[in-house]
Amino acid sequence: EPWLRPLLWARRATTRAACAALDLPVWDDPHNVDPRYTRVRLRNEVLPLLEDVLAGGVAEALARTAAQLREDCDALDELAAGLLAAARDAHVGLVVDPLRTAHPALRRRALRQWLLDEGVPELTDLHLRAADDLIGRWRGQGAVRLPGGLDLLRRDGRLIIRREGSR
């Protein structure tokens, strides 16, 4: 959501033939043929070369891998949501204990969602890993600077977000 791609597995020729057979109009997105986009160049230049060198099946293998990754992502999102629910505090911040022993990938996924929910803009992997260090590699370090003039600190077993310079 919000974009559904139910025919991602199908080749363009197949969908065009189905539209022709059903007398449905076909619309071509002009972005899909614009070589300024890396994805277009990959599709038009690299994928045919891979198909040739590897004797075919590359597009199908990529589609299968994408489907598997989508299922994995859904499962990880569900597990992370449960972890986040266990760590949320109705009063203030995020309780560290439920997160501390979780697998780092799940912990960071839950932490990322919490930070986004708390209004942290433009969160990068570097920010997320520094924030995760307040849980998984806690040594009493100070606050982590986050985008939007926010600081993330660990206090009394909780992660707390504050505006830069506030106490």
Side-chain angles (χ1 to χ4, degrees):
E1 290 184 11
W3 313 112
L4 299 177
R5 304 183 81 186
L7 299 175
L8 190 58
W9 54 269
R11 290 208 175 247
R12 188 179 315 263
T14 303
T15 58
R16 283 183 173 283
C19 287
L22 297 170
D23 198 29
L24 296 173
V26 173
W27 181 77
D28 287 310
D29 184 344
H31 294 98
N32 287 334
V33 293
D34 189 338
R36 291 178 298 172
Y37 297 102
T38 302
R39 65 183 169 81
V40 172
R41 293 197 59 212
L42 288 170
R43 186 183 309 122
N44 292 333
E45 298 172 28
V46 176
L47 191 55
L49 179 62
L50 286 172
E51 291 282 356
D52 181 48
V53 170
L54 298 174
V58 174
E60 292 81 4
L62 289 172
R64 280 192 309 273
T65 300
Q68 291 166 350
L69 289 173
R70 189 169 34 256
E71 291 171 355
D72 291 352
C73 188
D74 289 346
L76 288 171
D77 283 346
E78 188 177 320
L79 292 169
L83 181 61
L84 179 56
R88 282 190 190 272
D89 187 337
H91 301 290
V92 64
L94 195 65
V95 179
V96 169
D97 272 347
L99 299 168
R100 197 172 35 81
T101 58
H103 189 283
L106 283 178
R107 184 174 63 228
R108 281 191 295 273
R109 193 174 283 254
L111 180 58
R112 179 182 184 280
Q113 187 58 57
W114 179 71
L115 291 169
L116 292 172
D117 290 349
E118 293 295 313
V120 177
E122 302 172 19
L123 189 61
T124 67
D125 184 64
L126 187 63
H127 296 122
L128 185 57
R129 288 181 184 276
D132 184 53
D133 284 347
L134 294 177
I135 302 168
R137 296 175 186 220
W138 175 243
R139 302 174 313 282
Q141 63 266 41
V144 171
R145 285 281 167 101
L146 296 173
L150 301 172
D151 289 329
L152 179 68
L153 61 140
R154 180 171 169 164
R155 182 182 298 151
D156 300 323
R158 300 172 194 284
L159 295 183
I160 299 166
I161 296 176
R162 67 176 184 202
R163 289 257 165 236
E164 209 174 310
S166 67
R167 296 240 172 212

